[in-house]
Amino acid sequence: MKRYMIISLLAIGLTMNVKAMYSQNDSLIPKERINDDYKKIPSSELTPAVVEEILKEYPTSKLGAAYRNSRGVFKLIMVLKSGTRRTVYIDPYGNWITKKTK
């Protein structure tokens, strides 16, 4: 009888633990990844603070594409001198934003 009770308590504990792990993983996905509503814009729509930060951080790179979302955050595709592409995010005031990846 004792064994059955211990086994049933372990089974309940394991199921609750697995359920908790799945609910925690859902909260780790950034909302920006879910609502990726960036629209392509011409480079002339970048704010002066953004242009200044790009020139400071990536002086030898070229701007491949520029996107902006509904909150004003810019997503920039930078083409580095080596030919590789890097996606960076910056707010309209020139502050760099780091995105979490999976």
Side-chain angles (χ1 to χ4, degrees):
M1 185 71 175
K2 253 186 179 177
R3 287 184 186 175
Y4 293 122
M5 184 175 279
I6 291 173
I7 291 173
S8 64
L9 288 175
L10 283 174
I12 290 172
L14 287 174
T15 5
M16 294 182 96
N17 189 21
V18 169
K19 189 175 183 178
M21 284 188 340
Y22 282 121
S23 65
Q24 285 178 352
N25 285 340
D26 291 343
S27 64
L28 292 178
I29 300 171
K31 293 185 192 284
E32 289 84 11
R33 304 277 283 189
I34 295 170
N35 300 327
D36 199 15
D37 63 341
Y38 288 94
K39 306 267 188 265
K40 190 166 187 172
I41 60 167
S43 60
S44 61
E45 289 188 26
L46 295 174
T47 62
V50 171
V51 173
E52 184 178 322
E53 281 297 315
I54 292 171
L55 292 174
K56 190 186 310 179
E57 190 70 27
Y58 298 98
T60 60
S61 301
K62 294 181 182 178
L63 181 63
Y67 301 89
R68 182 174 49 204
N69 69 2
S70 59
R71 291 186 277 159
V73 175
F74 294 102
K75 174 182 173 182
L76 306 173
I77 310 295
M78 301 300 298
V79 180
L80 304 178
K81 193 174 185 178
S82 63
T84 59
R85 294 176 182 266
R86 178 174 289 164
T87 303
V88 294
Y89 299 88
I90 189 167
D91 70 5
Y93 307 107
N95 301 316
W96 295 102
I97 300 170
T98 55
K99 297 281 184 171
K100 295 180 182 176
T101 58
K102 290 183 180 180

